[in-house]
Amino acid sequence: MNIGDVAQLSGLPAKTIRYYEDISLVKPKREMNGYRVFSDADLHKLIFLARARGLGFTIEDCRRLLALYEDKSRASAEVKSVTGKHLSEIEAKIADLQAMHATLTRLSEECAGDHRPDCPILEELGSDEEPKSTHTVQ
Amino acid sequence: MNIGDVAQLSGLPAKTIRYYEDISLVKPKREMNGYRVFSDADLHKLIFLARARGLGFTIEDCRRLLALYEDKSRASAEVKSVTGKHLSEIEAKIADLQAMHATLTRLSEECAGDHRPDCPILEELGSDEEPKSTHTVQ
DNA sequence: ATTGACCTTACAGTTACTGGAATCATTAAC
DNA sequence: GTTAATGATTCCAGTAACTGTAAGGTCAAT
């Protein structure tokens, strides 16, 4: 299969697949004309990667998970550990976003949103005192 | 004030403040020795930026908000519009993260997490069929 | 005169791609 | 047989918002 075929089948852009080769996540063979040739195993890997990335795992997590996937004597504890760390990060991000959301919603509700210049959003951002909630993490 | 002082007072790293000057968010004067000199107005801007960034606004949003802040004849509707778009993006991100979280939690609960190789997490990532939920957005 | 804290610039690296240009290969149409 | 469309290749640059590091200048105190 050529890159267009596996792009279609995995849902990943060809550009991304070339990038994954660059960083050695997949190692397709080459034809005499220089074209990449992807085996079924390569396609399988790409589908694995697409799903893992879709679940928000970093590339390095994906590399680790792929290695575990191919190690038939792995301990499932290792996989669960990677997943657990990722879950914690997701939880932290959700919490941050919810805090931002709460603050912005409060300010937005207080703002008339008309032609007049008075604006509680800008007032809070520019105030001299500590605002009700300031977020340090994005 | 020198950069260390405003870094302290705004909570922003000096490095970040230099970067903000690079991209023209602040324009401190210079002393004869080349050191940056920050006015009270500069400090005020930096605090504004720190808060807006803390609420997850992009740098370009911050630039826009800062311009509105300094435009005493602005319409609060403009500020509310920027904020509203940002709120929608936050909501979308939260939804994505919650979907990932749900999938990963389900898989994690099914995984023994011991010395044995059997692992539902890897099985789903590597399965030939469409998994129960595949996320396209991260 | 020297130490240490603080300031300067410039360049590289981070994450995970994405866009674009220039070129080559393959295939289908005329 | 030539041409055009499609699809492949490489390479370089850009994105967001910084962060790290190196090499060096300045200042206050000892």
Side-chain angles (χ1 to χ4, degrees), chain A residues 59-79:
Chain A
I59 288 285
E60 287 317 306
D61 279 348
C62 290
R63 198 189 295 281
R64 183 110 197 76
L65 290 172
L66 210 44
L68 288 167
Y69 185 63
E70 305 199 313
D71 173 8
K72 293 307 171 195
S73 72
R74 75 208 157 224
S76 65
E78 272 205 69
V79 184

Side-chain angles (χ1 to χ4, degrees), chain A residues 27-44:
Chain A
K27 304 190 203 316
K29 298 258 183 316
R30 295 293 179 129
E31 280 181 286
M32 298 116 285
N33 60 14
Y35 284 22
R36 291 170 183 81
V37 199
F38 294 84
S39 66
D40 280 2
D42 289 328
L43 171 60
H44 207 83

Side-chain angles (χ1 to χ4, degrees), chain A residues 39-130:
Chain A
S39 66
D40 280 2
D42 289 328
L43 171 60
H44 207 83
K45 270 193 189 184
L46 289 171
I47 291 171
F48 184 102
L49 288 168
R51 287 186 189 148
R53 289 290 299 127
L55 285 168
F57 286 105
T58 65
I59 288 285
E60 287 317 306
D61 279 348
C62 290
R63 198 189 295 281
R64 183 110 197 76
L65 290 172
L66 210 44
L68 288 167
Y69 185 63
E70 305 199 313
D71 173 8
K72 293 307 171 195
S73 72
R74 75 208 157 224
S76 65
E78 272 205 69
V79 184
K80 198 166 179 173
S81 157
V82 173
T83 303
K85 272 177 203 142
H86 183 38
L87 267 171
S88 304
E89 284 163 14
I90 289 176
E91 283 159 18
K93 275 187 199 159
I94 290 176
D96 280 344
L97 288 169
Q98 281 174 339
M100 291 178 199
H101 192 272
T103 302
L104 288 169
T105 301
R106 171 174 60 79
L107 292 173
S108 207
E109 278 166 359
E110 287 166 11
C111 174
D114 57 17
H115 65 284
R116 291 169 301 171
D118 320 76
C119 179
I121 303 172
L122 293 180
E123 274 162 31
E124 174 140 338
L125 289 173
S127 96
D128 284 340
E129 307 99 50
E130 280 287 295

Side-chain angles (χ1 to χ4, degrees), chain B residues 42-87:
Chain B
D42 290 327
L43 171 60
H44 207 82
K45 270 193 188 186
L46 289 171
I47 291 171
F48 185 102
L49 287 168
R51 286 185 189 148
R53 289 288 301 127
L55 285 169
F57 286 106
T58 65
I59 289 285
E60 288 317 306
D61 279 347
C62 289
R63 198 188 297 280
R64 182 111 197 73
L65 290 172
L66 211 44
L68 288 168
Y69 185 63
E70 305 199 314
D71 172 8
K72 292 307 172 197
S73 72
R74 73 202 159 231
S76 65
E78 272 205 69
V79 184
K80 198 167 179 171
S81 157
V82 173
T83 303
K85 273 176 201 141
H86 183 40
L87 266 171

